[in-house]
Each structure stands twice: as C-alpha cells, then as structure tokens.
Amino acid sequence: MTLWNGSYPFYPGANACFPFDTSRAVIVTVFLSMLVMFIIILPGIRGRRRLFWFLRLVLGLFVGAVVLTVQFTRDWETGWVQANASYKSFSPVQVNMDIGLHIGLAGVNITLRGNPVNQINETINYNEHFPWNFGVDYDRSYSEGLEKGLPSPILYVAEKFRTQSPCAVHRQYRIAGHYASLTLWLAFCTWLISILLFSMSILLYGGHMLLLTATLILFSLLFFLAARNTPKCPIQFGPVSLRTDYGESFWLTLATGLLCLLLGLGVIILNSVWPEKLKLIFSLDKSSEEEVWDKSCLPAEASCSAQDVLMVPLGELCQVTATQL
C-alpha cells in the first residue's frame, strides 16, 4: 500500500484561484499616485496653460502605464467554451464547466469554473499559470501540475503547448512573446526620453522619439501576430472546441501605438507649419506673459516698484547730470 494508493491526490476542500497579479496593481498604483500628485499642484498654473499641461500629463502617464502594464498581463489572446467534460482522469463522471484560455507574453493561463461552482462534492474554481518565458521550463510546470493532480481539462489544454506536443506552437509563442516584450521595454525607454525632451523644450526631437515609441509598440504587435497566425491543433471538448481571439491587452496596445503615432506626427507637423501654436500647447509662448507683465507694471498701479518707474533712457540721464554740474 502506498499513500493515496499510488494515485495523485486532488486538492482537499475548496480550490483557491490563482493569486491576484500584484505587478499590475503596483504599476497602476504608482501611476495613479503620480497623477494625483500632479493634480494637487494643478491650481498653481494660471490661464489656459493649465488645460494644456493637464492634457500632456494625462496622455504621457497613460502611454507609460499601458506600455509597462501589458508586459505582465495575460490576456493578449483569450477564449472561452462551455462544455460537459470529465473532471478527473479515468472517471466517467461528466461535469458542466466553463474552460478559459488566456495567453500572454510570458505564459498561458487556464481557467476552469464549474456551472455551478460546487459539484460532485468539490469546489471547481481553478486558474493555473504555466510560464514559458526564458529561464523557465514549461514542461516542468506541466509536470508539477500533474503531481498536484490538476483537473483533466486544465492538463489537456496545457499539454497542447508543451515542447513535445504535436501542435508545435510552444516555440513560436515563446520566441514571439520574448521579442514582443523586448520591443515594449525599448518603447518604454523611448517614452521616457520623449518626456525628458519635452520637459527641456526640445519639441521636434521629442516628436521623433514619440514616433519611435509608436513604431516599437506596433512591432511588438507584429511579433505576437506572427505566433498567433501559426496553425494550431484543435482543443476539442466533445462536440465543441475552444477557440481564441485577440484580448484586451492586444487592442489596448494597438490603441496606444496609434495614439503615439498621431501625437508624434502632430508635433512634427505643427513644428514645421505652425510653430507658434506648438509653443502655445507646450506653454512656451512668451507674448502673453509679456502682455501680463506690461499691464502689471503700469505707473497707475501701486504694485509697480520704484526701480521700474525711474528707468529712463541713457541720453536723458546724461543731460540731467550735465545741467546740474
């Protein structure tokens, strides 16, 4: 006799879902904190410059947060199916469940949820992650799932992405995810450089860096498209099959790339056609400030200093001095 009669044990009691993605929570918290901090100092900016400054702030933080967050999301490609399938291996008992597949840049998430959740005296609610990023062995993660005794539908879907699987999609997704992640990190760096250039009032080169950021973001999408368009094995559960489509992270990355493209082109075009309007947007138009200064320093106003009132041309000053002598 061996423990559990030589078979792998299943989770006792309720099955906890996969923990919350703390990386995404930390990134969102940091960028929201920065936004709140800048909003606090917003009343100190006078005139219409406040609106332009706030728009630049929101757009800049949005691009940076998206480029950094999608690195860790797991919904670049998603799919759901509802089916009656065997919950345990070598068991004829059929369970009605929802099966979800979520593919990210660094791995795959497989979700299993019963309809209802409590069936056959167990709580069917799983969300397991199988990583394939460099430095991590996907097959080892799959073997650990076997040892833990994960339900059959999860192991069946995870097996499709093994290195030895006849589907042969593991290598494509792994390499595509690696290069997409690399280009996104480069896009984050170019975004930082563009923010620095705009803060230094080097607007033209800032627009060029925004264009480079957009190019890198769109290239990351092309890398992921190359993996997704490879032929896949059908993931069949009886008469129904699990099909995937582009997820929220894919579309959000595409929208961010197009936004950077439009902003970069807008800065370059305005710099060559209407540089005054571009300076106005970036609060570099000094004409309005000079008008405000001239009005505030009129002699009729008490706020004007004595030094400003006594300023006279150099020739008149010399003439007055000669008369006194």
Side-chain angles (χ1 to χ4, degrees):
M1 287 288 291
T2 59
L3 191 60
W4 294 293
N5 294 325
S7 61
Y8 293 126
F10 281 79
Y11 293 133
N15 307 85
C17 288
F18 193 79
F20 183 76
D21 189 359
T22 56
S23 300
R24 189 190 309 183
V26 169
I27 294 171
V28 172
T29 302
V30 169
F31 277 87
L32 285 179
S33 301
M34 294 174 61
L35 179 62
V36 172
M37 180 182 65
F38 284 116
I39 289 178
I40 291 175
I41 67 175
L42 187 62
I45 302 175
R46 293 180 293 178
R48 55 186 175 182
R49 293 186 302 171
R50 179 186 305 172
L51 176 61
F52 292 132
W53 187 85
F54 182 73
L55 290 176
R56 297 199 311 268
L57 171 67
V58 172
L59 290 176
L61 291 180
F62 173 78
V63 172
V66 170
V67 173
L68 195 58
T69 304
V70 294
Q71 295 270 4
F72 308 98
T73 54
R74 299 166 183 173
D75 55 352
W76 281 69
E77 185 178 350
T78 60
W80 284 91
V81 67
Q82 184 176 0
N84 293 319
S86 175
Y87 177 65
K88 299 180 180 180
S89 300
F90 311 107
S91 174
V93 179
Q94 298 284 315
V95 177
N96 186 267
M97 59 187 72
D98 291 327
I99 305 165
L101 176 61
H102 316 279
I103 301 175
L105 300 181
V108 57
N109 258 53
I110 303 172
T111 305
L112 183 67
R113 188 181 303 118
N115 287 319
V117 176
N118 296 312
Q119 297 185 57
I120 59 174
N121 298 324
E122 292 193 29
T123 301
I124 305 176
N125 192 9
Y126 294 83
N127 191 348
E128 297 293 330
H129 181 63
F130 299 90
W132 57 43
N133 52 314
F134 285 98
V136 179
D137 190 354
Y138 181 91
D139 292 339
R140 180 178 178 82
S141 301
Y142 176 79
S143 301
E144 291 175 355
L146 284 173
E147 294 175 2
K148 289 192 300 183
L150 293 178
S152 295
I154 293 180
L155 296 176
Y156 168 68
V157 177
E159 188 179 10
K160 299 291 185 180
F161 296 90
R162 293 182 62 193
T163 57
Q164 305 299 326
S165 173
C167 297
V169 295
H170 174 83
R171 185 172 179 271
Q172 286 83 349
Y173 272 104
R174 183 169 179 257
I175 295 177
H178 173 72
Y179 283 106
S181 177
L182 179 61
T183 52
L184 285 175
W185 280 117
L186 292 176
F188 183 74
C189 295
T190 56
W191 168 79
L192 287 176
I193 296 175
S194 68
I195 295 296
L196 180 62
L197 292 174
F198 285 137
S199 64
M200 297 172 61
S201 302
I202 310 176
L203 305 182
L204 181 59
Y205 291 104
H208 289 160
M209 294 308 296
L210 269 182
L211 281 182
L212 182 57
T213 302
T215 303
L216 291 171
I217 293 175
L218 296 178
F219 264 106
S220 68
L221 297 175
L222 291 178
F223 285 130
F224 188 79
L225 284 172
R228 190 186 181 276
N229 290 331
T230 57
K232 299 182 180 64
C233 294
I235 304 176
Q236 200 76 22
F237 293 96
V240 296
S241 60
L242 177 58
R243 302 182 182 276
T244 59
D245 203 351
Y246 299 114
E248 295 179 0
S249 294
F250 179 88
W251 296 115
L252 184 60
T253 306
L254 177 61
T256 305
L258 295 178
L259 176 63
C260 290
L261 182 64
L262 292 177
L263 292 177
L265 289 176
V267 169
I268 294 174
I269 293 175
L270 285 177
N271 184 77
S272 60
V273 179
W274 296 296
E276 294 80 10
K277 292 186 179 295
L278 183 62
K279 291 180 180 180
L280 178 63
I281 293 175
F282 283 89
S283 305
L284 300 178
D285 189 8
K286 297 183 179 179
S287 59
S288 58
E289 297 180 1
E290 292 176 355
E291 291 176 2
V292 173
W293 173 257
D294 293 338
K295 291 179 181 179
S296 63
C297 292
L298 289 175
E301 298 185 7
S303 62
C304 192
S305 62
Q307 181 181 0
D308 298 329
V309 176
L310 294 176
M311 291 179 63
V312 294
L314 183 59
E316 296 181 8
L317 181 61
C318 297
Q319 182 179 0
V320 171
T321 305
T323 304
Q324 290 180 352
L325 290 175

